[in-house]
Amino acid sequence: MEQQAKKPISEKIAYQRMARVCSMKECCSFDIRQKLQRMQLEDEVINRIVLLLLKQKYIDDTRFSRSFINDKLRFSKWGKTKIEFALRQKQVPQEVIDEAFEEFSDELLTQSLKPLLEKKLKSVKGKTEYEKRTKVIRFGLSRGFAMHDILKCLGKTVEDY
């Protein structure tokens, strides 16, 4: 079965599709660029569409960062490190990431850690208490939380390990 060549999409239709996507959910400029590249548009057309979307406030990386951080804290129970890494993967500028994190207190960034670790501690298996705690610490680190926050929640200090 032969593949048919896709009919090139016009700039106007591509813009309308991206505007619709952006009006339904928060997107960063990197996500939109990727979607437009998949439509096989030229780079200058992509740049024009993205600039127009930015100008009309369909795309705003700062707004996206705030929303992304909020969602990952509330629903995915991620820590600051993992969220920051995910935002960097989406090529959000570091200044924008730092600015977005300023709106969240340290307490808010770590409030989900204690229940998360307590739940994990109940389900983890290990021969010794040390082995169990090590697994729980590794779990907390994989979720993007800082070591000192994990140890504080477990009631230990670095010297105890």
Side-chain angles (χ1 to χ4, degrees), residues 117 120-121 123-142 150 154 161:
L117 293 180
K120 185 67 176 178
L121 197 55
S123 67
V124 76
K125 302 213 183 320
K127 293 177 184 167
T128 64
E129 192 64 29
Y130 176 81
E131 194 175 309
K132 287 179 184 178
R133 285 193 175 269
T134 303
K135 288 180 179 183
V136 171
I137 289 170
R138 215 174 300 131
F139 170 75
L141 290 171
S142 74
I150 297 169
L154 291 175
Y161 282 90

Side-chain angles (χ1 to χ4, degrees), residues 11 18 33 39 50 73 78 86-87 116 122 131 141 161:
E11 184 175 341
M18 293 304 102
R33 282 185 191 283
M39 291 180 187
V50 169
L73 286 174
W78 283 7
L87 285 170
L116 203 63
K122 289 176 185 173
E131 194 175 309
L141 290 171
Y161 282 90

Side-chain angles (χ1 to χ4, degrees), residues 13-25 53 58:
I13 292 173
Y15 165 76
Q16 289 172 344
R17 285 185 186 174
M18 293 304 102
R20 188 172 55 243
V21 167
C22 292
S23 66
M24 289 189 286
K25 68 174 192 163
L53 290 169
Y58 278 109

Side-chain angles (χ1 to χ4, degrees), residues 50-116:
V50 169
L51 283 173
L52 188 57
L53 290 169
L54 282 166
K55 197 180 296 180
Q56 295 178 342
K57 298 287 186 191
Y58 278 109
I59 303 173
D60 184 354
D61 284 343
T62 305
R63 192 177 63 214
F64 169 79
S65 297
R66 276 190 227 111
S67 173
F68 187 85
I69 292 169
N70 186 45
D71 288 351
K72 294 303 176 188
L73 286 174
R74 290 181 61 213
F75 302 117
S76 300
K77 310 284 191 243
W78 283 7
K80 182 178 179 179
T81 309
K82 191 168 184 170
I83 295 170
E84 192 172 337
F85 182 74
L87 285 170
R88 272 197 240 123
Q89 278 186 317
K90 291 187 174 285
Q91 298 181 1
V92 175
Q94 188 62 45
E95 320 68 77
V96 173
I97 295 171
D98 294 339
E99 183 183 320
F101 269 116
E102 286 176 8
E103 296 179 18
F104 296 89
S105 68
D106 289 339
E107 183 183 308
L108 187 63
L109 291 171
T110 58
Q111 80 180 19
S112 64
L113 178 60
K114 191 166 180 80
L116 203 63

